[in-house]
Amino acid sequence: MSSTRSSAKSVKVLRYVVATVLLIGGMVVAKGAIAWAAETFVYNLPLLGGLLKSLELMEVTNVIVFAILGVSLGAFTVWLPRRCGLWIKLIPFVIAVPLLFMTGYAVRYHLWINQVAVESELLPTQAQQVTDTLLRQATGTEGVMGFFRYTVQVPILPTDLRALQNIDEDDKWFRSELTRFSGLEPGLFTMVFRITGWSIRGFYVLLAVITASLYFAKGLLWVDRSRQTQR
């Protein structure tokens, strides 16, 4: 009898693991598809596209994506033993939330590399070397994390090789023109752009975390209520 119960619990735990992995994988694909659609269609719109990209407006979809993730991860704990602690239940949640949030930026980073390769007539590996060099010089890091940090300051990145090589000069010229017209120090504009960029990015991070947490709690509450009705 005890072996039968043990086997049933093992099956439930396996079901939880499989469902969790499939959920996270599906949400990553969905988040990546949203990022691809935004870069391909929404952010390429005339006039409005640049503004929408600067505001990262498609990140508002985090409400839907992270709500599904949170409530599902909470509900899946119905397959875990009753004595299972909250910290164990939080492990997939803690892994999934940052992974899902960064997926959009990973997709955008690779799309940027592909655009640089096409417009500059470079091989994908060469385009990645060029873009990573720019990111490393600007942020000290490269790859997706470098892209994540750099797009806070420069949301719209060039895709032409010459523009990439002269991006620092163009940025300095733009700030000097602002200084000339306003009479304010260029460092002030740099600080304002940085604060604005991180404020927008921080808002979406907070939105993702709060949404996922609230719906994760709702999923756990549903599990508790369903177990109480089964007694």
Side-chain angles (χ1 to χ4, degrees):
M1 187 69 176
S2 60
S3 61
T4 304
R5 288 181 178 177
S6 178
S7 177
K9 289 181 179 179
S10 299
V11 171
K12 287 184 177 180
V13 170
L14 179 61
R15 189 181 301 170
Y16 169 78
V17 172
V18 172
T20 299
V21 171
L22 291 177
L23 170 70
I24 295 174
M27 289 294 98
V28 165
V29 172
K31 182 66 176 173
I34 292 171
W36 175 84
E39 286 290 326
T40 306
F41 302 109
V42 180
Y43 294 155
N44 282 329
L45 291 173
L47 300 178
L48 286 177
L51 175 62
L52 296 178
K53 190 169 187 176
S54 299
L55 297 175
E56 298 188 357
L57 197 62
M58 291 303 292
E59 289 298 312
V60 174
T61 57
N62 284 345
V63 173
I64 300 174
V65 174
F66 283 93
I68 295 173
L69 176 74
V71 74
S72 299
L73 287 178
F76 288 169
T77 60
V78 71
W79 292 313
L80 292 176
R82 293 176 182 269
R83 65 178 183 276
C84 187
L86 178 61
W87 291 110
I88 295 178
K89 297 175 183 178
L90 280 172
I91 291 175
F93 179 87
V94 172
I95 295 173
V97 170
L99 173 65
L100 190 57
F101 186 82
M102 291 301 297
T103 295
Y105 294 97
V107 171
R108 289 172 56 187
Y109 167 68
H110 288 292
L111 286 174
W112 178 46
I113 292 175
N114 291 337
Q115 290 174 346
V116 171
V118 171
E119 295 191 20
S120 301
E121 298 181 349
L122 298 173
L123 294 173
T125 53
Q126 294 174 323
Q128 185 169 2
Q129 290 175 354
V130 171
T131 55
D132 279 348
T133 298
L134 168 65
L135 296 176
R136 187 169 54 252
Q137 291 174 346
T139 67
T141 54
E142 56 187 36
V144 177
M145 284 306 302
F147 179 85
F148 178 81
R149 294 176 60 188
Y150 192 53
T151 50
V152 170
Q153 307 173 47
V154 186
I156 303 175
L157 300 178
T159 53
D160 179 74
L161 182 59
R162 181 176 298 177
L164 282 167
Q165 293 172 338
N166 296 326
I167 191 170
D168 287 338
E169 286 74 11
D170 293 340
D171 184 59
K172 290 177 181 177
W173 175 86
F174 175 68
R175 296 181 195 281
S176 67
E177 289 297 300
L178 287 177
T179 301
R180 185 165 66 89
F181 282 107
S182 66
L184 300 175
E185 292 296 325
L188 179 62
F189 289 110
T190 301
M191 183 179 67
V192 169
F193 290 151
R194 187 170 297 168
I195 291 174
T196 302
W198 278 114
S199 296
I200 294 172
R201 188 66 54 82
F203 168 76
Y204 290 121
V205 171
L206 195 62
L207 179 66
V209 173
I210 291 177
T211 302
S213 300
L214 288 176
Y215 279 86
F216 180 70
K218 288 184 178 182
L220 294 178
L221 183 61
W222 173 82
V223 171
D224 289 339
R225 288 177 177 174
S226 64
R227 284 177 172 173
Q228 290 175 1
T229 57
Q230 291 173 2
R231 290 179 180 177

